[in-house]
Every structure is written in structure tokens, then in C-alpha cells.
Amino acid sequence: MLNHLPPLAPFRPRLIQDIKGYNGEKLAKDMGAGATVGIVALPLAMAFAIASGLKPEAGLWTAIIAGFLISALGGTSVQIGGPAGAFIVIVYGIVERYGVANLLIATASAGVLLFLMGLFRLGTLVRYVPVSVVIGFTNGIAVLIALSQVRDWLGLDIARMPGDFFGQIATLTQHVHSVNPYAFSLGVLCVIGLFLWPRLWAVDSQFRRQLDRIETVSALRATSRLPAPVVALVTLSLGSWALSLPVETIGSRFGGIPQSVPAFELPAFSWETVRLLVTPTLTLALLGAIESLLCARVADQLSNTRKHDPNQELMAQGIANVVVPFFGGMPATGTIARTVTNIRSGAVSPVAGMVHAATLAAVVLIAAPLAQHIPLAVLAGVLLFVAWNMGEWREFGRLKHFSNHYRLMMVSTFLVTIVFDLTVAVELGLVMACFLFVRRQSDIFRADVLARHPHQLTYRLYGSLFFGAVAKIDPIVADVEGGPAGVNLMLDATQLISLDTTGLDALEQLHKAVQKRGGHMGIVGLNAQPRSLIERSGFHQRLHTCQ
């Protein structure tokens, strides 16, 4: 019996394949790309952690440790791993309800599930999640991320935000009178800067054309290579510090960032706790799998590297998520924005992702004291921009071009994600997808009359006769029972694609109805799958004709 089980997925990190034929030219490209992504990851890692209700160093060391492990052990050549915006809402809810210690246990447990998913070759199952469901919960998460940043963006005097949507709305409304104009100004400048910076340096921009006419601006042109979040972070933090603006900073809220490697520490573990965290664990594992494999597919489309190995990628994600909680980290997955930056910066192998982690570690260990001056309003502005880019808002305008089934799944998943919970939204989306698929397939099946004689009825079956379509056999039964005695029935199955056991039972009931009237029933033109089921059940022996 065990010999018929599919083999386990081999553990073959893409790094082993890509390192063959590796040379100095490829190393130079990976070093440049890794350094660039490391700088980009700095503000995002801190912002994701703070928005999740954690200290900024949790996000930084997750980006460093998980980023290194995912690149070194993963199944893609250019994907960058680390904390992701999609996790913010989930992590904040877990911290709010269960505490940070239980978040670490849930993250490690989710890592075990991710590894097992890859080991048992379940990586391809994620592709069965309908795109309407993915777009729905992605847009919903983007709205919740934006909502969670309103407090720091406006500088509101709120000690702690609740985890639910309506609670956040009510809390923000109650404290809207405490807006800090300095924090709001920094946040607005950050968003405007993030929007304008890449457009300012675009090849066809008027600003760039004017600079091209001047020969003494090479140093100024060099700044065009700096990522917009880094420029906003540095300039606005310096401005806030120089002007001594009365705004909340990383230092005032968290006391700064430790300039050292976090100590290895085992979280308190018990099976009772694990049982309590089943739902959060499943949510983290499912979301991590979906995000990482969607990111890997984007990387495949944008780069010239080998196609990703989904099972190896899940195993690497699992290992990373098992390890980071022991260093106080948060959940990690593939990140689309940093992966795209990595590709556009010239990365050719997983070495770039490992360099990204090393660059980030060097910055943290050397320049950690400077982070205490970063205003939280600036980080909120960065996340608002991330949320805007994360959402696929144009899909709402395109809904009129799609079916009602697509609209229903997308809008329902979007609203349930915002109002209730991502887990509920995905579950609802998948259930609705299954229900609507069954309904659509049942609509496809039909039974048409080919000939009607006093003692002979001939029908042709089209599509799939399964549990959702068996009701369409009832008119044939009624036709037989209402006809003369001794009526024979012939079914033409040349267009019958598939048959399940419920459909087989319907055919057997139809056969009994024909026998009661003293007639015979036959089936001709059977395709491979229906024929196999009919023969295995022994039903073919009871039929007058079966071919």
C-alpha cells in the first residue's frame, strides 16, 4: 500500500543549482542588487513590525534572519523574503488577543505546517485559490493596513488601537480632536515624496530633461538611484530632529533599537496553547503560502531565471518561520515589492537575497542609535503608500466586464476581510467558489432528446453527470414512467465527459424505472472515465447494451 503513495518532495535549494557556473560578473550584480534591496527593506521592516503591535527590531531581525534563510534554502532565484504587509492585520489581531509570546508559538507552528506542505508536494494546491478571492482579500488587507496607520499619520493621542474594524473607526473618531499638525505634515510630505520621487527622475520627466542640460549635476543625478522610502526616511527624520518638532518617534515610544544580535530564547510552549492557537496558525500558514507562491510567480514573469519550485519554496518558508520566533521575530513570507526591486537591480541568483540580509544586519548593528529619531508619522506615510500600491483597485472598475459569480466572490471576500477576519474571508471565498463552480458545471450538463418513438426513446448526454447535475435526469425518468409499457431507452454518451458515483446512482435508478415498464436500457459511446466507473461498479452487466 505504501508503495503507491507519491514520493516526498526532494530538498533541493535553488542556490545549489544557481551556484554552478557562478562567476565574478554575477557576484557583482548580486552584490549591487542585494545592497539596494537591503536599504529598501530597512524602513519597511520597521514599519511592518510597529504596525503589527511589535517593536521595530522584531521586523528588522525577521528581515535579516528569515530573508537569509529563504534565499539560501528557497526554490526561487531572486525572491526576497521577510515581514510583509499582508501579515500586519493578522499579527496585530493575534498580539491583541493572545499576546506576543503566543504569536511566536503560532509563527513556529505555521512554519511546521508550511514545511510539511512543501514536503508532501502541496505547493501546487495554492494555485487552486480563485483569483477573485486573492484580489478580494488583498484589497481588504490594504484597506485595513491604511486604517491602522491613521493614528500615527495624524499623530492622534491614542494609547492602543483595538484590533477590529469598527472598534478602530470608533476610536479614531473619538480622538480626532487630538490631531498633531506637525505629525500630519510629516506624514503628508512623506506620501507626496514617495509619489513624486520616481516620477521626478523618470527618463521623460521635465526635471530630468533640465538636468541633462547641466554638466555639473552628476552628484545630484546619483541620488536618483536612492529608493524613495529611504530618501523620505532620512530627509524627514533630519528635518524633524533639526527643528525639534513635537512628534512621536521610535525613540520616544520604544526607546530606540538595540545595537546587538537578539538572544536565542525559547518561548513558553504547551500543547494547550497550541490547541488554542489552531486558527491563527492555519491563517498564518495559508497566507504565507499564498503570498510566497504568488510572489514567486511574479518573479518568474519578470526575470530570466529558472521557474520556481513551489514545494522547495514552501519548505524554506517553513524553516524560516520556525527559526525567527526564537529570536523574537514575526511571520515572514515572500515580498513582492522587494523582489521586484531585486530583479530590477540586476539580481541573478539567491546570493542577492543573502547579501540583502547581510546589508540590513550591518546597517542595524552600526546605525541602530540613529533610528530613534525616526518619526512614526513618516513610517505611517510609508505604509499608507505601500497599502495603496498593494491594492488592485482597478479591479473594482473592471467588475462590470466579469460574471456575477466573479463579482460576488471578489466583493464578498473584500468586505468580510475588512469587517470580520481574513480566515473567515478566505474560507467564505473558497466555499462560494466551490458552490458556484458546482452550479456552473451543473448548468453545462444537459440531456437532449434525439428520437422519440412509441417503444424507443433516445437521449444524448452532454457534460459531466455529477452530484450537482443529477436532477436533470428526472425528466428522462418521468418520460419513461409516463410512456407506454415496454419502452426501451438508449443513452448516447459520446459527449459525456465525466461521471461520479452520484451520477452513476442516478443512471441505476433510471435503469430500474425502465425495467419496471418492461423495457431495456443501453448506453453507447462511453468515454474512458465514465466507462471505467460503470465497469468497476458492475453496472454494465445489468445493461442491455453498453459500449
Side-chain angles (χ1 to χ4, degrees):
M1 187 71 177
L2 294 176
N3 294 332
H4 297 287
L5 294 176
L8 299 178
F11 191 82
R12 287 195 300 239
R14 180 58 56 85
L15 178 64
I16 297 176
Q17 302 174 42
D18 286 352
I19 211 70
K20 296 176 181 177
Y22 201 71
N23 52 38
E25 181 182 354
K26 292 183 177 180
L27 177 61
K29 291 181 179 180
D30 284 337
M31 292 286 287
T36 301
V37 180
I39 295 172
V40 172
L42 180 68
L44 295 177
M46 289 190 293
F48 291 151
I50 293 171
S52 302
L54 304 171
K55 293 183 178 180
E57 57 264 31
L60 290 170
W61 285 104
T62 297
I64 293 168
I65 298 172
F68 184 89
L69 291 174
I70 289 172
S71 293
L73 305 176
T76 64
S77 296
V78 291
Q79 178 161 282
I80 300 296
F87 280 129
I88 289 176
V89 180
I90 307 302
V91 173
Y92 189 89
I94 295 174
V95 171
E96 184 76 14
R97 185 176 302 177
Y98 303 104
V100 175
N102 287 331
L103 168 67
L104 302 181
I105 295 174
T107 302
S109 301
V112 173
L113 289 181
L114 283 168
F115 184 85
L116 293 176
M117 288 172 64
L119 184 65
F120 289 103
R121 298 178 178 271
L122 300 180
T124 56
L125 292 182
V126 176
R127 297 181 182 178
Y128 294 130
V129 179
V131 65
S132 55
V133 174
V134 174
I135 293 174
F137 77 67
T138 300
N139 286 357
I141 290 172
V143 170
L144 292 174
I145 290 174
L147 182 63
S148 70
Q149 296 310 298
V150 172
R151 174 185 67 163
D152 290 335
W153 196 54
L154 299 179
L156 300 180
D157 185 17
I158 300 175
R160 188 167 184 82
M161 288 285 287
D164 64 290
F165 174 74
F166 292 111
Q168 290 182 356
I169 293 292
T171 302
L172 292 172
T173 303
Q174 293 168 4
H175 293 82
V176 72
H177 63 276
S178 63
V179 173
N180 183 330
Y182 300 102
F184 179 59
S185 299
L186 288 173
V188 170
L189 287 174
C190 179
V191 173
I192 293 175
L194 293 173
F195 179 79
L196 292 179
W197 183 257
R199 290 164 178 76
L200 198 65
W201 292 104
V203 177
D204 58 347
S205 72
Q206 189 65 30
F207 177 74
R208 185 67 177 266
R209 291 172 182 172
Q210 293 295 329
L211 282 184
D212 288 340
R213 299 174 184 175
I214 306 174
E215 298 180 358
T216 58
V217 290
S218 57
L220 185 60
R221 273 199 203 94
T223 62
S224 66
R225 300 179 182 179
L226 293 175
V230 175
V231 174
L233 196 71
V234 173
T235 56
L236 294 177
S237 296
L238 284 174
S240 175
W241 172 75
L243 298 174
S244 300
L245 298 181
V247 295
E248 195 171 15
T249 64
I250 287 180
S252 64
R253 181 179 293 183
F254 302 103
I257 298 175
Q259 197 173 3
S260 60
V261 178
F264 181 89
E265 186 176 350
L266 291 173
F269 178 87
S270 69
W271 282 113
E272 289 298 322
T273 304
V274 172
R275 290 172 57 190
L276 181 70
L277 298 172
V278 168
T279 299
T281 297
L282 292 175
T283 303
L284 292 175
L286 177 62
L287 184 58
I290 293 174
E291 285 290 314
S292 63
L293 296 184
L294 285 178
C295 181
R297 290 174 66 182
V298 171
D300 287 345
Q301 296 169 2
L302 297 179
S303 69
N304 296 321
T305 57
R306 299 183 184 91
K307 299 299 181 184
H308 75 281
D309 178 349
N311 297 313
Q312 181 62 40
E313 186 60 30
L314 288 182
M315 286 190 281
Q317 300 283 343
I319 292 172
N321 280 284
V322 168
V323 172
V324 290
F326 298 114
F327 295 91
M330 59 188 293
T333 187
T335 58
I336 293 179
R338 277 160 277 173
T339 296
V340 172
T341 302
N342 191 41
I343 294 170
R344 291 176 177 171
S345 300
V348 294
S349 80
V351 173
M354 298 160 69
V355 171
H356 133 268
T359 301
L360 195 52
V363 172
V364 171
L365 294 176
I366 296 172
L370 299 177
Q372 65 180 332
H373 301 295
I374 298 174
L376 296 180
V378 175
L379 291 179
V382 171
L383 280 187
L384 285 173
F385 193 73
V386 168
W388 173 256
N389 288 326
M390 178 181 175
E392 299 185 49
W393 313 113
R394 293 180 181 177
E395 294 299 319
F396 287 113
R398 298 178 59 215
L399 282 177
K400 60 184 178 182
H401 302 298
F402 296 99
S403 66
N404 289 332
H405 292 176
Y406 183 94
R407 298 175 195 170
L408 181 62
M409 284 194 293
M410 178 177 159
V411 174
S412 298
T413 306
F414 172 72
L415 294 176
V416 173
T417 298
I418 293 176
V419 176
F420 294 101
D421 180 79
L422 175 64
T423 308
V424 177
V426 173
E427 290 172 350
L428 175 65
L430 291 176
V431 169
M432 289 180 61
C434 293
F435 174 78
L436 294 175
F437 176 79
V438 168
R439 180 177 176 181
R440 180 171 296 176
Q441 292 301 308
S442 65
D443 289 341
I444 293 174
F445 176 81
R446 71 179 195 271
D448 293 347
V449 178
L450 293 184
R452 187 188 300 274
H453 301 292
H455 295 285
Q456 178 72 38
L457 292 174
T458 304
Y459 280 82
R460 176 172 290 165
L461 306 180
Y462 295 84
S464 298
L465 181 54
F466 69 114
F467 64 89
V470 292
K472 293 187 177 182
I473 297 296
D474 293 344
I476 306 179
V477 176
D479 209 1
V480 170
E481 293 177 342
V487 64
N488 296 317
L489 175 65
M490 183 62 67
L491 298 179
D492 182 349
T494 54
Q495 302 299 319
L496 183 65
I497 300 172
S498 63
L499 177 72
D500 74 351
T501 53
T502 306
L504 177 63
D505 180 72
L507 293 180
E508 290 179 337
Q509 297 304 319
L510 179 58
H511 179 242
K512 291 178 181 179
V514 173
Q515 284 186 319
K516 285 183 180 179
R517 302 295 293 169
H520 300 288
M521 173 175 157
I523 303 178
V524 295
L526 282 167
N527 291 305
Q529 191 276 331
R531 174 185 294 278
S532 174
L533 180 58
I534 288 174
E535 290 179 350
R536 283 184 284 117
S537 67
F539 181 47
H540 68 293
Q541 297 175 354
R542 300 191 293 275
L543 293 171
H544 185 262
T545 304
C546 183
Q547 59 185 40

